[in-house]
Amino acid sequence: MRCCLHALEPGEATRINRTCRSLRHAGLEPEIFLSREALAAQLCAAQDLILLLPAGAWLVGDGLLPPIPPSSTGRPVIALGALRDSPGAQQWSALLGNRGGDFDRTRWLAPRIPVPVAAGLAPEAARLFGSYLQTGGDWAAAWRRLLDMRVFRKVHLPMLDVRVSRSLRILQVVTSIQTGGAERVALDLAHELSRRGLAVGVAALGRPGRTAFSEPPHFFDLSRCSRDAEARADAVAAAVREFGADLVHGHLLSADEARAIHARRLPLAITLHNMPAGWPAGVGDGGAPLGDLLLACSCAVGDEAIRADLGMPVRTVWNGIDPSAVITQKPHKTVRRIWRERCAWSDDDFVIVALANPRRQKRLARLPAILVALQQRIAPRRARLLLAGAPTAGSEDAIAAEAELEQAIAGCPHVDSIRRVGAVHEIGELLAASDVLVSVSAYEGLSLAHLEALAAGVSVVATDVGGTREIADQSSAVRLVAADASDDEFATALATVATAPRREPPPFPTSFQRREMAARTHWYYRQMLSPRSATQEGLWLITNNFSTGGAQSSARRLLLGLVARGMKVRAAVLEENPTVSTQGRAALIAAGIPVLAVPPPSVMDGPDAVNLLLEAILADRPKAVLLWNVIPLLKVLLADSLLDIPLFDVSPGEMYFASLARYFANPRPALPCGNAREYGARLAGVVVKYEAEAEQARQILGSPVRVIPNGLALAPSLNRIRSNGVFVLGTAARLSPDKRLGDLLDAVCLAAPRLPRFVLRVAGGVERDSADHARELRRAARGLPIEWCGELPDTREFLADLDLFVMISEPSGCPNASLEALAAGVPVVATDVGGASEQIVDGVTGRLVPRRDTAALAEAIIDLAHNAQRRAAFSTAGRAHVREHFSLERMVDAYTAFCNLQPPARAISDRP
């Protein structure tokens, strides 16, 4: 029996592994078909019985699937599996109740056989069904024709019964569901992801050691299996098959458990909930990767995971809570009064609360001494301490921490000011009774207790460990103390809160809400489950647009240069109208380079645009993705999302770092990439256009840096066009404030009295949103012999008529306009900005003057206007300089090497 697994509908490819896993467990190796044409061809050639199944279905039964028996009637068999526990299952249940398993009996009675999901087709039936598909027939209609034919024996075989789901299906695996931060995160993810339309199950490997949370829907109790990692992995794999999970998300798993689960070909995400001292056994000790993706609960934990080199991509998903869950149903004042009366404390007492299960990490034994030091500072007001949490039964660490705490309480002179309340489910009430939450932990991942306090409007005083600073960066209600702070230093910080005027608490940070945690986690699930191609070829180049401009010109040259070498390239634009193509985009498409136009930011929100782009990239995986002049938000989102494709960013000059600085001054909430260094950590490398920028890039981004100047093909020397004795100087620049054309007009005005008869020509259209600036330039140019040439698709004729080219744009990386002038044999005067000094060797290939020095620029123009011999020398030297240092071949070579792009062998052999 051959097994044909088809994924013909959008999104089905992400569900292929679910079905493959079920079939392989049944002893079948599926053949996968992603198009109707390919499937139809296979069916038409069938010589054996075919088991036909869609991606997203999985067999109800467990164990090997026996062969489908032939019919005793001698007719070819169509064996059908029913749907169970899935949409459409009731229709099958009604059918079986009416007909039993014999679909030939009472053939004309309702209900009719639904369109099958799982079917075993005899070769004759498979060939006929394939022919129906080949003639373009509708899928359901093809089935109806086949099932209505009396020549086939149609029966229900329970061993082919399946469940099917279009939803992404996730199995959260945790050591137990006892009350604790990591366990809460796993259960909250299950709840919130279910609200997002995913199907989520929870599997617990062990029994709770303290009070447990309620069992969630789709709960798998695996605690009866042995504690051996292999046995636990087998139990998880069985739960995955039963639930039809696409992906496993592990929490608190040991390294051995994680690797054993991953070895069973189960896509595995692992969340690290703590700093290295609290990592599960074996994590960080070397060895094979634990899974496919590591999700850190804070950036601090993520940084430690990267340093530990765990062998898999690392991303941060901040812990999140539901802020409304800690808001009490009763009025806050009422709850506060009831709790304090219960403890025999007054409303004026200053109550500090600690929410932590006793472990040495939490250092709870320090709190009685801190209480004493605090009492001395706020007397006569009384300081009180509430301790909530229970130790884990059987844990040596918890037993030791509990003993230390009890000893510290017993020795405290204010023992009557301390109350232990054990495990508390109504955290909101406890927080309502308190004035401040205190945490003296030696290390933390990202504490849910801190978040709950903030949601309840309670200030936090905590050690500056793990992700606590990340919370403090987004909430003024968090006061940090050093990890090694003394009792007096803690007391001082708490006293500051006690004596501060009462203010309205700040809003709870969006970044740490449960829905944001679930949304980011779901985002990564989709990336993990995207189809993988057998090979990854060539390059995706992403840019804002392909309109006229220096950066865009270089991008087009690079793409065309790579294609000329036989490499596969594709591009995407982020700011162009998808229905109206720019000339640059049209030229690339005409050259056979596909260009995806993502709806611009004015039409589509950044994450949605990036999602469209990711779908295209993941469906056609390259060796590298190159960001070329991309909006900062979108590049940060892309860098955060691409897990296993090297990403390179190209800096066009000073504007690159300025734009990053502006973005990170106000980064997108809930995106844990808060500075340029964190962005750089997600890059495989950075390309800068000139040497002086390389060290700046290394310091700011911390990524590998390669200097690759722009390059162009050196055309034959232009035939100079004489302009009737008129000296022609010109520039090519869009009419935009950053092009500094006003400086050029000032210099020409200053030089005009000492120039021969001349004309100034400016090639360039008006930049978007710069119409007012363009009008101001025209007013400033009144009285000058100036020609506004507008945007030119090709500047060769423009350059052929120039005696001198002036380059004054800033900021600037490796300006193409001056390169093109040098390559055309036009002498150049440029301001010393960006990479100009590497193009213009002053006095050899042209003149270089200080930036924004109008007098120096005017003098250089005057000098060259009266020295034709020197202009000729610059012309010859400039072309030679471009040939040696700025050739297109050199640029393509450099990108090919740095981005590890190698042309396919067939392209190499085809080259002359």
Side-chain angles (χ1 to χ4, degrees):
M1 180 168 60
R2 300 181 68 178
C3 181
C4 292
L5 167 59
H6 55 87
L8 309 181
E9 301 297 328
E12 281 191 335
T14 61
R15 301 189 284 271
I16 285 176
N17 286 337
R18 176 199 310 172
T19 310
C20 286
R21 198 174 298 118
S22 174
L23 292 170
R24 287 174 180 140
H25 184 69
L28 301 171
E29 186 59 39
E31 301 173 55
I32 299 171
F33 297 88
L34 302 179
S35 73
R36 179 174 295 199
E37 294 74 18
L39 175 63
Q42 179 65 51
L43 294 174
C44 286
Q47 298 298 319
D48 303 304
L49 191 141
I50 298 287
L51 176 60
L52 197 60
L53 210 63
W58 67 101
L59 295 168
V60 171
D62 195 22
L64 297 178
L65 192 71
I68 294 176
S71 169
S72 59
T73 66
R75 286 185 289 159
V77 170
I78 297 179
L80 302 177
L83 273 178
R84 301 288 183 88
D85 308 318
S86 306
Q90 289 183 341
Q91 192 177 3
W92 279 94
S93 179
L95 173 70
L96 295 174
N98 181 273
R99 297 193 181 186
D102 186 351
F103 296 147
D104 284 345
R105 276 192 312 113
T106 58
R107 178 172 174 272
W108 303 110
L109 295 179
R112 298 184 73 183
I113 303 172
V115 173
V117 174
L121 300 177
E124 300 89 336
R127 291 194 293 268
L128 193 57
F129 186 60
S131 69
Y132 292 158
L133 295 179
Q134 281 188 331
T135 57
D138 175 77
W139 181 271
W143 269 116
R144 182 62 51 223
R145 290 179 65 185
L146 191 70
L147 294 174
D148 283 347
M149 297 186 70
R150 304 189 65 178
V151 68
F152 298 114
R153 178 78 171 104
K154 298 173 286 295
V155 295
H156 167 236
L157 281 188
M159 69 180 185
L160 297 184
D161 286 357
V162 295
R163 298 183 178 96
V164 68
S165 171
R166 291 182 176 272
S167 301
L168 190 61
R169 303 180 69 83
I170 309 299
L171 185 67
Q172 303 281 337
V173 178
V174 68
T175 49
S176 76
I177 57 169
Q178 65 188 17
T179 53
E183 295 85 353
R184 263 276 305 281
V185 167
L187 293 172
D188 280 358
L189 275 175
H191 175 81
E192 197 68 32
L193 289 168
S194 297
R195 293 180 60 185
R196 294 178 64 86
L198 281 69
V200 187
V202 176
L205 297 174
R207 296 185 180 279
R210 51 180 179 263
T211 306
F213 292 111
S214 299
E215 290 184 4
H218 308 301
F219 180 68
F220 296 85
D221 183 359
L222 308 183
S223 61
R224 293 180 181 82
C225 75
S226 132
R227 295 177 63 87
D228 174 73
E230 296 295 328
R232 285 187 162 185
D234 285 339
V236 169
V240 165
R241 291 192 301 273
E242 181 180 344
F243 187 62
D246 299 296
L247 181 148
V248 176
H249 188 162
H251 306 262
L252 303 178
L253 300 180
S254 72
D256 287 345
E257 289 166 346
R259 290 190 182 107
I261 291 170
H262 196 224
R264 280 147 180 81
R265 301 170 75 175
L266 300 175
L268 178 61
I270 296 286
T271 290
L272 276 185
H273 292 274
N274 216 327
M275 296 294 277
W279 286 354
V283 176
D285 293 345
L290 305 179
D292 299 287
L293 174 65
L294 191 143
L295 299 176
C297 68
S298 67
C299 296
V301 172
D303 290 343
E304 292 295 337
I306 291 170
R307 277 191 281 272
D309 192 17
L310 300 179
M312 52 184 168
V314 176
R315 291 294 184 269
T316 297
V317 174
W318 278 318
N319 284 346
I321 65 167
D322 176 7
S324 66
V326 294
I327 305 301
T328 58
Q329 298 298 315
K330 298 176 184 177
H332 181 278
K333 289 183 178 180
T334 302
V335 174
R336 179 183 175 93
R337 176 179 54 77
I338 291 172
W339 262 88
R340 292 190 174 218
E341 287 178 355
R342 186 184 304 168
C343 297
W345 295 344
S346 76
D347 186 64
D348 185 57
D349 290 348
F350 183 67
V351 178
I352 60 177
V353 63
L355 303 176
N357 298 315
R359 301 200 302 273
R360 282 177 169 162
Q361 165 196 348
K362 301 296 184 178
R363 303 195 296 189
L364 297 177
R366 293 194 58 188
L367 291 175
I370 292 171
L371 179 71
V372 172
L374 173 63
Q375 183 63 71
Q376 294 171 354
R377 282 167 172 76
I378 65 171
R381 189 179 181 187
R382 294 299 302 271
R384 309 289 193 177
L385 173 61
L386 272 173
L387 292 167
T392 301
S395 166
E396 293 182 5
D397 179 73
I399 292 169
E402 175 73 10
E404 292 171 2
L405 175 59
E406 285 296 327
Q407 184 178 359
I409 292 172
C412 178
H414 302 305
V415 68
D416 60 322
S417 292
I418 301 174
R419 292 287 185 277
R420 299 197 67 184
V421 295
V424 176
H425 287 290
E426 296 300 328
I427 297 297
E429 293 189 2
L430 190 65
L431 289 167
S434 307
D435 295 295
V436 63
L437 180 134
V438 63
S439 171
V440 295
S441 292
Y443 52 91
E444 286 283 354
L446 193 141
S447 170
L448 296 182
H450 298 359
L451 300 180
E452 289 167 333
L454 296 178
V458 174
S459 296
V460 175
V461 172
T463 45
D464 186 4
V465 294
T468 309
R469 178 169 292 275
E470 295 160 45
I471 304 175
D473 286 344
Q474 300 188 48
S475 177
S476 59
V478 179
R479 184 177 294 273
L480 299 176
V481 295
D484 59 353
S486 65
D487 296 343
D488 284 340
E489 288 170 321
F490 266 106
T492 299
L494 289 165
T496 301
V497 176
T499 57
R502 287 188 176 274
R503 294 190 179 93
E504 189 71 20
F508 185 78
T510 303
S511 300
F512 306 110
Q513 295 202 16
R514 187 171 72 181
R515 65 172 182 266
E516 295 292 347
M517 174 179 69
R520 276 185 64 75
T521 304
H522 184 196
W523 179 271
Y524 290 121
Y525 289 164
R526 291 190 298 181
Q527 314 316 321
M528 289 178 65
L529 293 173
S530 65
R532 300 299 200 262
S533 56
T535 59
Q536 295 182 198
E537 285 189 61
L539 178 77
W540 268 89
L541 186 146
I542 318 299
T543 188
N544 285 343
N545 58 70
F546 280 120
S547 58
T548 301
Q552 292 81 358
S553 297
S554 291
R556 292 196 300 271
R557 288 175 187 144
L558 175 62
L559 290 170
L560 293 169
L562 292 169
V563 167
R565 297 189 179 190
M567 294 191 198
K568 182 177 181 180
V569 298
R570 41 277 202 223
V573 289
L574 306 173
E575 286 188 322
E576 290 191 26
N577 186 332
T579 61
V580 181
S581 182
T582 60
Q583 285 186 330
R585 182 168 126 215
L588 290 174
I589 294 171
I593 297 174
V595 183
L596 169 69
V598 175
S602 60
V603 175
M604 181 175 283
D605 189 41
D608 293 331
V610 168
N611 192 46
L612 282 179
L613 184 55
L614 281 172
E615 287 180 1
I617 292 172
L618 297 175
D620 186 10
R621 287 174 169 263
K623 281 194 170 183
V625 172
L626 195 62
L627 302 178
W628 196 292
N629 201 20
V630 171
I631 302 166
L633 168 62
L634 300 188
K635 72 165 71 177
V636 172
L637 285 168
L638 274 169
D640 192 58
S641 303
L642 283 173
L643 299 177
D644 57 358
I645 300 174
L647 181 68
F648 298 84
D649 199 359
V650 180
S651 162
E654 296 171 26
M655 65 195 82
Y656 173 89
F657 301 104
S659 65
L660 278 180
R662 284 193 299 272
Y663 169 77
F664 286 119
N666 185 28
R668 186 180 181 90
L671 182 59
C673 186
N675 56 61
R677 198 80 179 183
E678 291 173 0
Y679 168 64
R682 287 160 168 74
L683 299 175
V686 177
V687 174
V688 297
K689 301 295 187 71
Y690 59 101
E691 288 288 349
E693 195 184 25
E695 187 55 34
Q696 182 184 14
R698 291 188 189 97
Q699 292 297 324
I700 291 176
L701 295 163
S703 304
V705 176
R706 176 74 180 270
V707 179
I708 306 178
N710 290 338
L712 45 76
L714 198 67
S717 183
L718 293 174
N719 294 319
R720 311 298 298 150
I721 302 172
R722 298 277 58 100
S723 299
N724 301 320
V726 176
F727 180 72
V728 183
L729 67 151
T731 192
R734 294 186 303 278
L735 305 191
S736 168
D738 64 346
K739 298 303 181 181
R740 308 297 303 180
L741 287 171
D743 292 356
L744 175 59
L745 294 179
D746 290 344
V748 171
C749 284
L750 188 61
R754 298 162 58 192
L755 289 175
R757 191 158 62 98
F758 75 94
V759 64
L760 170 63
R761 292 178 178 161
V762 179
V766 179
E767 183 68 281
R768 185 176 56 188
D769 301 326
S770 295
D772 289 342
H773 176 71
R775 283 190 289 270
E776 182 59 37
L777 287 175
R778 292 177 187 274
R779 281 194 293 267
R782 286 173 185 164
L784 284 177
I786 186 168
E787 297 175 5
W788 303 95
C789 303
E791 187 169 310
L792 302 176
D794 190 333
T795 60
R796 282 177 293 184
E797 288 188 11
F798 172 79
L799 292 171
D801 200 25
L802 297 186
D803 295 295
L804 181 65
F805 186 89
V806 185
M807 181 72 198
I808 38 73
S809 296
E810 60 176 86
S812 182
C814 180
N816 272 298
S818 47
L819 268 187
E820 290 169 359
L822 289 168
V826 181
V828 176
V829 174
T831 49
D832 191 0
V833 179
S837 62
E838 294 173 19
Q839 293 183 6
I840 313 299
V841 181
D842 191 33
V844 178
T845 65
R847 285 298 315 276
L848 205 60
V849 299
R851 67 195 304 175
R852 304 195 187 184
D853 189 335
T854 304
L857 180 57
E859 287 298 325
I861 292 171
I862 293 166
D863 176 54
L864 287 173
H866 293 285
N867 195 334
Q869 185 176 0
R870 197 171 193 198
R871 295 200 306 270
F874 286 170
S875 173
T876 302
R879 278 178 58 81
H881 190 61
V882 170
R883 182 184 296 109
E884 182 176 356
H885 298 286
F886 299 96
S887 70
L888 178 61
E889 192 76 10
R890 189 183 181 102
M891 180 177 75
V892 175
D893 283 344
Y895 278 103
T896 300
F898 190 53
C899 300
N900 193 30
L901 307 172
Q902 298 301 328
R906 62 181 180 276
I908 295 174
S909 62
D910 290 342
R911 290 176 64 193

